[in-house]
Amino acid sequence: LFFYSVNYLQAQDRCSFIRYEQMLQKLNPNKESQLSFENWMNEKVIQGNKNLRSSATTYTIPVVVHVIHNGESVGNGINISDEQIQSQIQVLNEDFQRLNADASNTPSEFLSVAGSISIEFVLARRDPDGLASNGIVRVNGGKSAWGINEETAFKSLSYWPAEDYLNIWVLNLSGSDIGYASFPVSNLAGLENITDNRLTDGVIIDFKVFGSDNFGSF
């Protein structure tokens, strides 16, 4: 899961992940549960700790931000500016590298394991065809707002291969939703036939909470 610093909360929920998962579970009762995945992940963590070895490798993750607007000019309304998008990438890297300003507020029970993870997010410099890119794609979706049950529709408007990029869709989410991420598919026994839909793999964030006004008047 990805945690974003947001400054626009009002009466909105912070994350729509649980409601999104409940919707998927109704559509596919055999889908892996969140608890099952957590148990699987815990086993992997234990196994990883046993095989832990020091490494100076930093893994770079190319990010593509798909801005699904409604015809606004760049920098207005849903069609947020390049600077606002870049501020989110900066915040994301600060959080993962524990350089965020509020790192000093880490609860005492987590201090012994708090640290920097060797991951760096960068806006993609090449598109899937190898052409130069700034990692930002802008598409007029022809709608002022989208619901989480419409994700197949808005994600199909712009998508880069999930094997090579982290897809982030920025749009106006309807209702109280401000964002969610797709749930990973694991290799738990009995779930081998679960469909891994690479075309919906990524993160969805409402445009009002994307980025940080610490870096500009967004």
Side-chain angles (χ1 to χ4, degrees), residues 137-206:
V137 180
R138 301 177 184 277
V139 178
N140 185 345
K143 290 186 62 173
S144 60
W146 301 81
I148 63 174
N149 60 331
E150 299 177 292
E151 70 163 354
T152 300
F154 67 71
K155 287 181 176 180
S156 66
L157 296 173
S158 184
Y159 166 85
W160 289 10
E163 297 85 355
D164 302 314
Y165 305 92
L166 168 61
N167 287 278
I168 301 179
W169 289 270
V170 178
L171 66 167
N172 185 21
L173 284 170
S174 61
S176 62
D177 301 313
I178 71 169
Y180 61 97
S182 53
F183 190 65
V185 174
S186 77
N187 58 359
L188 287 170
L191 297 171
E192 296 86 355
N193 296 322
I194 296 297
T195 300
D196 184 357
N197 189 354
R198 59 190 287 275
L199 299 179
T200 61
D201 185 20
V203 182
I204 299 88
I205 302 290
D206 187 274

Side-chain angles (χ1 to χ4, degrees), residues 1 11 19 23 30 45 59 73 79 83 94 100 110 123 125 128 149 162 172 180-181 195-196 202 205 208 214 216:
L1 294 177
R19 192 159 67 84
M23 181 186 73
N30 293 322
V45 169
Y59 296 93
S73 59
N79 200 359
E83 291 75 18
E94 287 180 355
N100 46 305
F110 298 131
L123 288 170
R125 300 185 181 96
N149 60 331
N172 185 21
Y180 61 97
T195 300
D196 184 357
I205 302 290
K208 294 184 291 296
N214 290 332

Side-chain angles (χ1 to χ4, degrees), residues 55-66:
S55 173
T57 301
T58 296
Y59 296 93
T60 300
I61 299 180
V63 177
V64 54
V65 177
H66 310 275

Side-chain angles (χ1 to χ4, degrees), residues 80-98:
I80 60 177
S81 66
D82 288 3
E83 291 75 18
Q84 185 169 343
I85 293 170
Q86 290 162 354
S87 76
Q88 180 61 80
I89 302 301
Q90 183 169 345
V91 168
L92 192 59
N93 281 316
E94 287 180 355
D95 286 346
F96 270 75
Q97 295 167 20
R98 202 163 182 258

